[in-house]
Amino acid sequence: MTRTPPTTEAAPAEAAPATPPPLTGLRVLDLATLFAGPLAATMLGDFGADVIKVEHPTRPDPSRGHGPAKEGIGLWWKLLGRNKRTITLDLSAPTGRDALLRLAATTDVIIENFRPGTLEKWGLGPAELSAANPRLVLVRVTGFGQSGPYSHRPGFGTLAEAMSGFAAITGEPEGPPTLPPFGLADSITALATAYAVMTALTARATTHRGQVVDMAIIEPILTVLGPHPLWYDQLGYVQPRTGNRSRNNAPRNTYRTADGAWVAVSTSAQSVAERVMRLVGRPDLVDEPWFTTGSGRAEHADELDEAVGHWIARHTRADTLAAFEKAEAAIAPVYDIQDVMADPQYRALDTITTVQDPELGPLRMQNVLFRLSETPGAIRWAGRPHGADTDAVLTEAGLSEAEIAALRATGGTR
């Protein structure tokens, strides 16, 4: 996907599509950092929202410095900052506060992730923001929520991955609890936050008023873990670590092929489990009484894994995948990112797309999250330089050249 690249003076202007993206006309102020709030704002921007990233004049969003960089430019920011205009404001300064309130008057959504009480301390709490714009939706993303004994603790996704029960069930049975090597809880929270925004905006269409969204990072990941609270409540059951195996079905594992590659096999459906065992030369196991249920198969995972693993170990990855596909049995190669970039299915879906960037040239990154047949989203530009759109955005908010100059002179912006 090649889009008109932005300049550092102004966000790029694009020809309006025949059918504009569904969130066109929605304005979002992204005051958040690392990573749930900003990613939610990115998702909204991907479908047409005018997202304005507000950063401190001298302390840019930390994602600009996270992970590998090229020519001194953070690559993570190019992804997280896409489809966002960037401005700088010191919200703790009176001049920055006043400018933010001017922006809020014409904004639909503000996303922030300061510790509870911080916006209130600056005179930018829900009361002040609602007075500036009664239709404003204020989204507050924190580690532990706006209330409760932990609300004022610093909170990150890692803590949610630990506290939710995710780490306790992840890893080998005799090994330690295992944390994911990426922002899992933050990413799940971003999805939940984007959903919450759209829910609140739908409610606004009826009530004609905005509201506050209280999003705690410890909660969405607990939701996606499924029925664990129910199991404990009704049965006293606490799921142990099972490695790559499942307590609900088997065979389900990763297996090494003859050429040293890895594949993953899943048999959640009874018919698939039967096909796998016939393929690997063990149709006798299909006739066992315990084979008729997923839980029964899980109790015999050692025997099933030995049969499947022995067969796969004698075949290359290509031959294994071909045989499973012919047998209509569920299998996938275990990819690293190099494999993902080359995979024909991802290419057919344009999952990894190309974006033209004035600083680094063509960039390949994940495309928008889903495809809409009538009003598709798009990546209009990658993450822009710090404060690139300050003057344009503040002018749109009604600030004069003199007011912007005064704001800059007092350190309220750069």
Side-chain angles (χ1 to χ4, degrees):
M1 180 186 299
T2 302
R3 315 300 293 182
T4 303
T7 67
T8 56
E9 289 78 24
E14 292 193 331
T19 304
L23 300 185
T24 299
L26 185 74
R27 173 165 285 189
V28 179
L29 295 185
D30 174 10
L31 313 185
T33 58
L34 296 180
F35 282 98
L39 181 55
T42 301
M43 294 173 184
L44 299 174
D46 284 350
F47 285 89
D50 176 20
V51 180
I52 299 168
K53 177 69 178 182
V54 181
E55 300 174 84
H56 191 276
T58 60
R59 297 190 299 275
D61 189 303
S63 67
R64 291 183 181 270
H66 261 60
K70 181 181 179 182
E71 300 173 8
I73 299 170
L75 296 176
W76 204 330
W77 167 251
K78 287 296 181 184
L79 175 67
L80 193 63
R82 74 188 192 191
N83 292 337
K84 299 179 183 181
R85 296 194 286 168
T86 62
I87 72 170
T88 64
L89 287 177
D90 181 356
L91 302 182
S92 67
T95 52
R97 169 194 177 275
D98 292 343
L100 195 282
L101 288 174
R102 296 274 288 274
L103 285 170
T106 57
T107 290
D108 297 285
V109 180
I110 290 179
I111 302 176
E112 64 97 2
N113 71 337
F114 300 104
R115 288 200 209 180
T118 301
L119 282 187
E120 287 83 350
K121 179 178 65 177
W122 294 338
L124 290 170
E128 291 86 354
L129 291 171
S130 181
N133 181 0
R135 291 175 55 83
L136 179 71
V137 173
L138 175 61
V139 184
R140 318 195 76 173
V141 183
T142 57
F144 302 102
Q146 295 295 310
S147 61
Y150 303 161
S151 61
H152 288 276
R153 292 182 181 179
F156 299 100
T158 297
L159 308 188
E161 289 147 11
M163 288 183 61
S164 64
F166 171 84
I169 64 171
T170 304
E172 293 301 320
E174 303 305 321
T178 302
L179 296 167
F182 65 100
L184 177 63
D186 279 296
S187 299
I188 296 171
T189 300
L191 289 164
T193 300
Y195 169 47
V197 166
M198 301 314 300
T199 302
L201 291 174
T202 301
R204 188 181 72 173
T206 301
T207 66
H208 307 293
R209 293 192 59 82
Q211 59 184 298
V212 176
V213 175
D214 180 3
M215 179 67 69
I217 297 175
I218 59 172
E219 291 181 307
I221 188 171
L222 181 57
T223 295
V224 302
L225 285 177
H228 287 223
L230 269 171
W231 287 342
Y232 180 75
D233 176 62
Q234 296 297 305
L235 303 173
Y237 175 74
V238 178
Q239 180 171 319
R241 287 188 291 282
T242 58
N244 290 326
R245 289 179 172 176
S246 169
R247 302 281 290 190
N248 304 312
N249 65 80
R252 190 261 198 184
N253 215 325
T254 57
Y255 307 91
R256 195 166 192 173
T257 62
D259 52 349
W262 290 86
V263 295
V265 173
S266 176
T267 58
S268 296
Q270 178 69 24
S271 60
V272 173
E274 293 174 6
R275 290 179 203 137
V276 168
M277 300 319 298
R278 293 190 178 103
L279 170 63
V280 302
R282 293 299 306 273
D284 56 299
L285 295 177
V286 176
D287 296 328
E288 294 287 347
W290 49 261
F291 197 88
T292 59
T293 66
S295 57
R297 297 196 307 274
E299 292 175 0
H300 292 79
D302 287 342
E303 186 174 2
L304 295 171
D305 271 346
E306 195 283 328
V308 175
H310 180 70
W311 187 93
I312 289 176
R314 293 183 285 113
H315 296 78
T316 65
R317 182 171 81 172
D319 288 344
T320 298
L321 295 174
F324 268 70
E325 183 173 354
K326 183 178 180 180
E328 298 184 358
I331 192 171
V334 176
Y335 277 171
D336 61 20
I337 192 58
Q338 183 176 359
D339 298 317
V340 169
M341 303 287 266
D343 182 83
Q345 181 62 32
Y346 282 128
R347 286 186 173 180
L349 296 174
D350 196 28
T351 305
I352 306 295
T353 196
T354 299
V355 180
Q356 295 295 331
D357 181 70
E359 293 182 293
L360 297 177
L363 305 173
R364 289 195 291 169
M365 65 175 66
Q366 297 95 320
N367 208 336
V368 300
L369 196 59
F370 47 87
R371 287 164 291 280
L372 296 179
S373 63
E374 300 298 324
T375 56
I379 304 172
R380 304 185 297 280
W381 60 82
R384 289 170 53 70
H386 183 224
D389 305 293
T390 298
D391 285 15
V393 171
L394 293 181
T395 299
E396 291 171 11
L399 276 73
S400 66
E401 289 186 13
E403 288 175 311
I404 295 172
L407 181 64
R408 188 164 279 124
T410 59
T413 190
R414 65 187 287 270

